[in-house]
mmCIF file of all heavy atoms in Angstrom:
data_model
loop_
_atom_site.group_PDB
_atom_site.id
_atom_site.type_symbol
_atom_site.label_atom_id
_atom_site.label_comp_id
_atom_site.label_asym_id
_atom_site.label_seq_id
_atom_site.Cartn_x
_atom_site.Cartn_y
_atom_site.Cartn_z
ATOM 1 N N GLY M 444 82.717 -16.608 -80.405
ATOM 2 C CA GLY M 444 83.711 -15.643 -80.874
ATOM 3 C C GLY M 444 84.456 -14.935 -79.756
ATOM 4 O O GLY M 444 85.151 -13.950 -80.004
ATOM 5 N N PHE M 445 84.308 -15.407 -78.527
ATOM 6 C CA PHE M 445 85.036 -14.762 -77.435
ATOM 7 C C PHE M 445 86.382 -15.459 -77.221
ATOM 8 O O PHE M 445 86.471 -16.686 -77.313
ATOM 9 C CB PHE M 445 84.217 -14.833 -76.139
ATOM 10 C CG PHE M 445 83.021 -13.938 -76.147
ATOM 11 C CD1 PHE M 445 81.794 -14.402 -76.595
ATOM 12 C CD2 PHE M 445 83.117 -12.617 -75.733
ATOM 13 C CE1 PHE M 445 80.690 -13.571 -76.627
ATOM 14 C CE2 PHE M 445 82.007 -11.786 -75.752
ATOM 15 C CZ PHE M 445 80.804 -12.265 -76.198
ATOM 16 N N GLN M 529 84.090 19.720 -82.337
ATOM 17 C CA GLN M 529 82.808 19.068 -82.081
ATOM 18 C C GLN M 529 82.263 19.591 -80.753
ATOM 19 O O GLN M 529 83.014 19.839 -79.818
ATOM 20 C CB GLN M 529 83.036 17.557 -82.019
ATOM 21 C CG GLN M 529 81.765 16.741 -82.060
ATOM 22 C CD GLN M 529 82.033 15.239 -82.166
ATOM 23 O OE1 GLN M 529 83.105 14.811 -82.605
ATOM 24 N NE2 GLN M 529 81.072 14.437 -81.767
ATOM 25 N N LEU M 573 91.393 11.485 -75.365
ATOM 26 C CA LEU M 573 90.515 10.340 -75.104
ATOM 27 C C LEU M 573 89.631 10.046 -76.308
ATOM 28 O O LEU M 573 89.322 8.894 -76.600
ATOM 29 C CB LEU M 573 89.624 10.627 -73.895
ATOM 30 C CG LEU M 573 90.324 10.785 -72.563
ATOM 31 C CD1 LEU M 573 89.306 11.081 -71.466
ATOM 32 C CD2 LEU M 573 91.096 9.522 -72.220
ATOM 33 N N PHE M 574 89.226 11.106 -76.990
ATOM 34 C CA PHE M 574 88.301 10.927 -78.112
ATOM 35 C C PHE M 574 88.997 11.039 -79.465
ATOM 36 O O PHE M 574 88.347 11.109 -80.498
ATOM 37 C CB PHE M 574 87.155 11.954 -78.026
ATOM 38 C CG PHE M 574 86.114 11.603 -76.998
ATOM 39 C CD1 PHE M 574 85.023 12.438 -76.783
ATOM 40 C CD2 PHE M 574 86.202 10.426 -76.259
ATOM 41 C CE1 PHE M 574 84.050 12.115 -75.843
ATOM 42 C CE2 PHE M 574 85.239 10.096 -75.321
ATOM 43 C CZ PHE M 574 84.159 10.950 -75.116
ATOM 44 N N HIS M 575 90.344 11.096 -79.446
ATOM 45 C CA HIS M 575 91.112 11.173 -80.692
ATOM 46 C C HIS M 575 90.660 12.331 -81.565
ATOM 47 O O HIS M 575 90.347 12.175 -82.743
ATOM 48 C CB HIS M 575 91.008 9.845 -81.462
ATOM 49 C CG HIS M 575 91.234 8.653 -80.585
ATOM 50 N ND1 HIS M 575 92.486 8.345 -80.085
ATOM 51 C CD2 HIS M 575 90.396 7.732 -80.071
ATOM 52 C CE1 HIS M 575 92.378 7.267 -79.307
ATOM 53 N NE2 HIS M 575 91.130 6.890 -79.282
ATOM 54 N N LYS M 614 68.517 12.176 -74.933
ATOM 55 C CA LYS M 614 68.057 11.013 -75.710
ATOM 56 C C LYS M 614 69.092 9.925 -75.484
ATOM 57 O O LYS M 614 70.272 10.155 -75.738
ATOM 58 C CB LYS M 614 68.016 11.341 -77.206
ATOM 59 C CG LYS M 614 67.246 12.590 -77.536
ATOM 60 C CD LYS M 614 65.809 12.236 -77.833
ATOM 61 C CE LYS M 614 65.024 13.510 -78.116
ATOM 62 N NZ LYS M 614 63.591 13.216 -78.191
ATOM 63 N N ASP M 618 72.081 1.723 -78.578
ATOM 64 C CA ASP M 618 72.503 0.752 -79.585
ATOM 65 C C ASP M 618 73.979 0.404 -79.405
ATOM 66 O O ASP M 618 74.828 1.275 -79.235
ATOM 67 C CB ASP M 618 72.271 1.321 -80.983
ATOM 68 C CG ASP M 618 72.249 0.215 -82.019
ATOM 69 O OD1 ASP M 618 73.313 -0.390 -82.271
ATOM 70 O OD2 ASP M 618 71.172 -0.046 -82.567
ATOM 71 N N THR M 619 74.260 -0.888 -79.460
ATOM 72 C CA THR M 619 75.631 -1.375 -79.273
ATOM 73 C C THR M 619 76.616 -0.730 -80.238
ATOM 74 O O THR M 619 77.788 -0.550 -79.900
ATOM 75 C CB THR M 619 75.705 -2.895 -79.541
ATOM 76 O OG1 THR M 619 74.402 -3.410 -79.501
ATOM 77 C CG2 THR M 619 76.593 -3.553 -78.544
ATOM 78 N N THR M 623 79.497 3.810 -76.065
ATOM 79 C CA THR M 623 80.915 3.999 -75.804
ATOM 80 C C THR M 623 81.077 4.584 -74.417
ATOM 81 O O THR M 623 80.252 5.391 -73.993
ATOM 82 C CB THR M 623 81.548 4.873 -76.909
ATOM 83 O OG1 THR M 623 82.929 4.986 -76.676
ATOM 84 C CG2 THR M 623 80.938 6.237 -76.955
ATOM 85 N N GLN M 636 71.620 19.100 -85.343
ATOM 86 C CA GLN M 636 72.883 18.367 -85.182
ATOM 87 C C GLN M 636 72.926 17.816 -83.773
ATOM 88 O O GLN M 636 72.839 18.578 -82.810
ATOM 89 C CB GLN M 636 74.059 19.324 -85.411
ATOM 90 C CG GLN M 636 75.423 18.710 -85.171
ATOM 91 C CD GLN M 636 75.986 18.038 -86.417
ATOM 92 O OE1 GLN M 636 75.908 18.578 -87.504
ATOM 93 N NE2 GLN M 636 76.541 16.867 -86.238
ATOM 94 N N LEU M 637 73.080 16.509 -83.659
ATOM 95 C CA LEU M 637 73.133 15.908 -82.333
ATOM 96 C C LEU M 637 74.427 16.301 -81.624
ATOM 97 O O LEU M 637 75.484 16.379 -82.248
ATOM 98 C CB LEU M 637 73.051 14.397 -82.415
ATOM 99 C CG LEU M 637 71.678 13.795 -82.699
ATOM 100 C CD1 LEU M 637 71.802 12.285 -82.844
ATOM 101 C CD2 LEU M 637 70.678 14.136 -81.608
ATOM 102 N N ASN G 45 74.215 16.352 -90.924
ATOM 103 C CA ASN G 45 74.273 16.354 -89.469
ATOM 104 C C ASN G 45 74.499 14.988 -88.828
ATOM 105 O O ASN G 45 73.762 14.582 -87.958
ATOM 106 C CB ASN G 45 72.975 16.927 -88.885
ATOM 107 C CG ASN G 45 72.755 18.350 -89.334
ATOM 108 O OD1 ASN G 45 73.723 19.080 -89.571
ATOM 109 N ND2 ASN G 45 71.516 18.744 -89.458
ATOM 110 N N THR G 47 76.697 13.116 -86.354
ATOM 111 C CA THR G 47 77.654 13.437 -85.295
ATOM 112 C C THR G 47 78.521 12.212 -85.026
ATOM 113 O O THR G 47 77.998 11.142 -84.744
ATOM 114 C CB THR G 47 76.909 13.814 -84.003
ATOM 115 O OG1 THR G 47 76.113 14.965 -84.276
ATOM 116 C CG2 THR G 47 77.880 14.108 -82.871
ATOM 117 N N SER G 48 79.834 12.385 -85.119
ATOM 118 C CA SER G 48 80.673 11.206 -84.918
ATOM 119 C C SER G 48 80.765 10.867 -83.437
ATOM 120 O O SER G 48 80.691 11.730 -82.574
ATOM 121 C CB SER G 48 82.052 11.423 -85.527
ATOM 122 O OG SER G 48 82.723 12.414 -84.808
ATOM 123 N N PRO G 50 83.033 8.995 -80.586
ATOM 124 C CA PRO G 50 84.413 8.547 -80.404
ATOM 125 C C PRO G 50 84.497 7.088 -79.980
ATOM 126 O O PRO G 50 83.561 6.548 -79.390
ATOM 127 C CB PRO G 50 84.940 9.449 -79.292
ATOM 128 C CG PRO G 50 83.728 9.906 -78.567
ATOM 129 C CD PRO G 50 82.646 10.006 -79.594
ATOM 130 N N ASN G 51 85.632 6.487 -80.274
ATOM 131 C CA ASN G 51 85.960 5.137 -79.797
ATOM 132 C C ASN G 51 84.934 4.080 -80.190
ATOM 133 O O ASN G 51 84.645 3.166 -79.430
ATOM 134 C CB ASN G 51 86.132 5.131 -78.269
ATOM 135 C CG ASN G 51 87.244 6.070 -77.844
ATOM 136 O OD1 ASN G 51 88.228 6.231 -78.579
ATOM 137 N ND2 ASN G 51 87.085 6.697 -76.703
ATOM 138 N N TYR G 61 69.944 12.440 -85.944
ATOM 139 C CA TYR G 61 68.664 12.617 -85.281
ATOM 140 C C TYR G 61 67.583 12.576 -86.346
ATOM 141 O O TYR G 61 67.397 13.531 -87.101
ATOM 142 C CB TYR G 61 68.670 13.962 -84.563
ATOM 143 C CG TYR G 61 67.577 14.107 -83.553
ATOM 144 C CD1 TYR G 61 67.307 13.114 -82.622
ATOM 145 C CD2 TYR G 61 66.810 15.277 -83.508
ATOM 146 C CE1 TYR G 61 66.308 13.255 -81.695
ATOM 147 C CE2 TYR G 61 65.820 15.434 -82.572
ATOM 148 C CZ TYR G 61 65.570 14.410 -81.666
ATOM 149 O OH TYR G 61 64.569 14.567 -80.738
ATOM 150 N N ARG G 97 64.809 -1.685 -84.160
ATOM 151 C CA ARG G 97 66.086 -1.040 -83.865
ATOM 152 C C ARG G 97 66.538 -0.375 -85.147
ATOM 153 O O ARG G 97 67.082 -1.020 -86.034
ATOM 154 C CB ARG G 97 67.079 -2.114 -83.423
ATOM 155 C CG ARG G 97 68.527 -1.683 -83.459
ATOM 156 C CD ARG G 97 69.406 -2.896 -83.206
ATOM 157 N NE ARG G 97 70.807 -2.502 -83.203
ATOM 158 C CZ ARG G 97 71.698 -2.990 -84.072
ATOM 159 N NH1 ARG G 97 71.322 -3.843 -85.011
ATOM 160 N NH2 ARG G 97 72.951 -2.621 -83.999
ATOM 161 N N SER G 155 78.188 -6.555 -87.053
ATOM 162 C CA SER G 155 78.562 -5.316 -86.383
ATOM 163 C C SER G 155 78.207 -5.392 -84.919
ATOM 164 O O SER G 155 78.806 -4.751 -84.079
ATOM 165 C CB SER G 155 77.809 -4.121 -86.980
ATOM 166 O OG SER G 155 77.540 -4.322 -88.327
ATOM 167 N N LEU G 156 77.200 -6.184 -84.629
ATOM 168 C CA LEU G 156 76.692 -6.230 -83.266
ATOM 169 C C LEU G 156 77.519 -7.127 -82.367
ATOM 170 O O LEU G 156 77.489 -7.024 -81.169
ATOM 171 C CB LEU G 156 75.278 -6.806 -83.301
ATOM 172 C CG LEU G 156 74.163 -5.830 -83.027
ATOM 173 C CD1 LEU G 156 72.843 -6.562 -83.046
ATOM 174 C CD2 LEU G 156 74.358 -5.149 -81.693
ATOM 175 N N LEU G 158 79.463 -9.126 -79.966
ATOM 176 C CA LEU G 158 80.065 -8.588 -78.748
ATOM 177 C C LEU G 158 81.463 -9.141 -78.515
ATOM 178 O O LEU G 158 81.916 -9.290 -77.400
ATOM 179 C CB LEU G 158 79.183 -8.922 -77.548
ATOM 180 C CG LEU G 158 77.829 -8.217 -77.551
ATOM 181 C CD1 LEU G 158 76.950 -8.746 -76.449
ATOM 182 C CD2 LEU G 158 77.997 -6.724 -77.436
ATOM 183 N N GLU G 163 89.200 -8.791 -82.442
ATOM 184 C CA GLU G 163 88.691 -9.787 -83.380
ATOM 185 C C GLU G 163 87.804 -9.152 -84.426
ATOM 186 O O GLU G 163 87.882 -9.479 -85.602
ATOM 187 C CB GLU G 163 87.880 -10.836 -82.634
ATOM 188 C CG GLU G 163 88.732 -11.986 -82.169
ATOM 189 C CD GLU G 163 87.890 -13.044 -81.503
ATOM 190 O OE1 GLU G 163 86.804 -13.325 -82.016
ATOM 191 O OE2 GLU G 163 88.331 -13.553 -80.472
#
Side-chain angles (χ1 to χ4, degrees):
Chain M
F445 289 91
Q529 193 173 338
L573 295 179
F574 283 179
H575 313 289
K614 308 268 178 189
D618 199 291
T619 343
T623 183
Q636 176 88 44
L637 284 176
Chain G
N45 299 330
T47 299
S48 67
N51 300 327
Y61 196 47
R97 163 189 181 241
S155 329
L156 251 182
L158 293 172
E163 270 183 41

